[in-house]
Amino acid sequence: MKILLIGSGGREHALAWAISGSPICNRLYVSPGNPGTAQCGENVVLDIDDHAAVVAFCRLQGIDLVVVGPEGPLVAGIADDLVAAGIKTFGPSKAAAQLEGSKAFTKELCAEFDIPTAGFGRFRDAASAKAYVATQGAPIVIKADGLAAGKGVVMAQTLDEANEAIEMMFSGGFGTAGAEIVIEEWMIGEEASFFALCDGRHALALASAQDHKRVGDGDTGPNTGGMGAYSPAPVMTRELEDRVMAEIIAPTLAGMEKRGMPFKGILYAGLMITAQGPKLIEYNVRFGDPECEVLMPRLKSDIAPAFLAACDGVLDSFDLRWSDEAALTVVLAARGYPGTPEKGSVIRGIAKAEAQDGVLVFHAGTKQLAADLVADGGRVLNVVGLGKSVGEAQRRAYAAVDAIDWPEGFCRRDIGWQAVKREEG
Ligand code: AMP
Ligand code: GLY
């Protein structure tokens, strides 16, 4: 079959790598793709915002399945337009993508279907938001409702900080994402991520994975999209997984179906493991990036039939097998990230890194400029190590990082530290 994958990051290179290994995929197109995805299939230039153009391309090429990587096109309704044109698409409808696109939507769903989450209020003006904060006290969490590239959250330690955040959001600090805000109770616990493949009614838990969001060693400094990740994540025990499936994922799918917007695709739950059990922080409607880069190398089953089963609503008769090996990815980022990254510096030595045992390199923000591979974004490369333990995967990943010659790049040196500490007892 012919498959079109939409997106251009490290997540999409990992997906392209997995899909291109499927015996049922004869042809893979990636749009826009990156120099890494070009090694797995054919990159094509399409205006992803122009859904009619994407539909036309699919018809012309006879595409059998579209896989959508990032949330942007999903929230914009690309799956609806493709499905309406008769093209099978892996990823939620516009209505179902509100689970990521609107925090208020998700909080209301939690309230209606008894899904454990932080207590909250929704506000459209500063005066009532401030009045609510005054009754709740600090610390407290202030969030812009819409998509704000992972930056729309202020963890306010004091009432003054909370009021400042409210003013900032209502005066357009996050653009239209802040037209409505959600104010939440500050939950205490350990954070964990959970991924489930969903077909509208059934969910299949994926292997566990955990990212590191802060830019600096020791989980310090500003938030990023993720500076590294590892799988399995020991925080997600079997017992916890069962609770998350029963208490959070299953009622979410049932609630979405009841609302007439069944969720198909990857449901990515950000969780807080509190003293009362797992609680939902937020949903994403796609694979995590860089979590996908450690999940795909551990997946032994063919990914393409899994995507098809999710599209067709038959996941209940499906199973996924995972390697016992651990995987760990280190993100190499361009100087300046997560602020404005420097572009254009030359990267060498990827082949040398990949030649090492148990190593894969996935591209994210790279560009081919004549004979040179150059940096072209914030997160530029994902260097993945595989091994018998997270510790071994970590050693291999960093040995590969050290083989890459890119003085203008940087990475964290402690990815996986909690898991390695647990392994070492
Ligand atoms: P979000 O964009 O909603 O995932 O929030 C980003 C980060 O803020 C999360 O990964 C948590 O570390 C933190 N966070 C968000 N909401 C809460 C909350 N209600 N209680 C504690 N921490 C939170
Ligand atoms: N790694 C975090 C995310 O994909 O949102």
Side-chain angles (χ1 to χ4, degrees):
M1 60 191 295
K2 292 184 178 178
I3 299 177
L4 168 66
L5 170 65
I6 291 175
S8 66
R11 166 181 51 213
E12 285 74 25
H13 186 185
L15 288 170
W17 175 81
I19 293 169
S20 65
S22 166
I24 65 169
C25 176
N26 327 101
R27 194 85 200 249
L28 173 65
Y29 297 96
V30 189
S31 183
N34 65 37
T37 64
Q39 300 164 10
C40 310
E42 185 181 333
N43 287 350
V44 289
V45 180
L46 289 171
D47 179 358
I48 301 302
D49 295 333
D50 182 351
H51 298 177
V54 179
V55 167
F57 173 84
C58 291
R59 290 208 168 122
L60 188 69
Q61 300 298 337
I63 297 292
D64 303 292
L65 173 69
V66 178
V67 177
V68 185
E71 68 278 13
L74 295 166
V75 171
I78 196 165
D80 307 65
D81 290 334
L82 285 163
V83 169
I87 300 157
K88 210 166 264 195
T89 303
F90 180 75
S93 66
K94 180 176 181 159
Q98 287 180 91
L99 283 175
E100 176 162 359
S102 166
K103 296 190 189 317
F105 174 88
T106 300
K107 298 301 281 188
E108 296 295 350
L109 188 88
C110 289
E112 186 178 342
F113 296 98
D114 283 330
I115 299 160
T117 188
F120 73 103
R122 294 171 60 176
F123 302 93
R124 290 187 157 273
D125 69 274
S128 46
K130 286 181 181 172
Y132 179 76
V133 162
T135 63
Q136 299 297 307
I140 195 156
V141 183
I142 318 287
K143 298 185 177 183
D145 177 62
L147 290 181
K151 292 179 185 132
V153 176
V154 175
M155 310 286 293
Q157 300 278 1
T158 64
L159 283 181
D160 281 348
E161 274 175 46
N163 288 330
E164 220 173 90
I166 291 167
E167 286 290 344
M168 179 269 286
M169 288 187 196
F170 281 122
S171 56
F174 292 124
T176 53
E180 175 165 341
I181 68 171
V182 173
I183 301 184
E184 291 182 9
E185 161 205 353
W186 182 314
M187 296 184 286
I188 307 289
E190 182 169 7
E191 277 187 61
S193 300
F194 189 85
F195 297 88
L197 179 64
C198 303
D199 71 359
R201 186 165 286 176
H202 317 100
L204 199 58
L206 304 190
S208 59
Q210 191 57 48
D211 70 346
H212 289 265
K213 291 211 171 58
R214 304 298 193 96
V215 74
D217 283 9
D219 295 312
T220 55
N223 262 323
T224 71
M227 292 300 289
Y230 54 94
S231 173
V235 57
M236 193 48 70
T237 59
R238 189 56 211 259
E239 186 205 352
L240 188 56
E241 178 182 316
D242 290 345
R243 277 193 78 175
V244 173
M245 282 297 263
E247 296 169 23
I248 297 179
I249 305 295
T252 297
L253 287 192
M256 293 298 282
E257 197 181 8
K258 205 162 160 200
R259 287 190 173 188
M261 41 184 88
F263 184 89
K264 294 186 174 197
I266 294 290
L267 194 53
Y268 162 4
L271 306 170
M272 189 69 84
I273 314 306
T274 71
Q276 300 91 47
K279 292 190 181 183
L280 181 71
I281 300 174
E282 61 150 7
Y283 273 131
N284 295 298
V285 298
R286 49 164 176 88
F287 278 105
D289 188 353
E291 292 93 325
C292 190
E293 289 91 309
V294 289
L295 290 172
M296 288 307 114
R298 292 193 60 221
L299 182 62
K300 283 169 66 177
S301 306
D302 186 353
I303 187 92
F307 287 156
L308 288 172
C311 293
D312 295 341
V314 295
L315 271 185
D316 52 334
S317 59
F318 214 84
D319 200 13
L320 289 173
R321 286 176 307 113
W322 299 90
S323 157
D324 291 334
E325 283 204 306
L328 182 140
T329 181
V330 177
V331 169
L332 291 186
R335 222 183 264 153
Y337 181 75
T340 309
E342 290 172 22
K343 291 189 179 180
S345 53
V346 178
I347 303 161
R348 296 187 181 87
I350 291 182
K352 211 166 118 196
E354 282 179 319
Q356 298 183 6
D357 265 352
V359 170
L360 290 163
V361 178
F362 293 126
H363 293 233
T366 62
K367 188 166 87 177
Q368 199 68 44
L369 248 185
D372 289 331
L373 185 74
V374 301
D376 193 41
R379 292 187 291 173
V380 173
L381 289 174
N382 285 275
V383 181
V384 183
L386 296 156
K388 285 193 280 295
S389 61
V390 177
E392 186 177 49
Q394 185 192 51
R395 280 191 297 281
R396 286 179 163 174
Y398 281 110
V401 164
D402 292 336
I404 292 175
D405 174 16
W406 182 36
E408 293 82 0
F410 73 96
C411 67
R412 276 182 60 165
R413 281 279 158 188
D414 64 345
I415 298 303
W417 66 269
Q418 301 100 322
V420 173
K421 206 164 120 190
R422 273 194 169 101
E423 279 176 356
E424 288 168 354

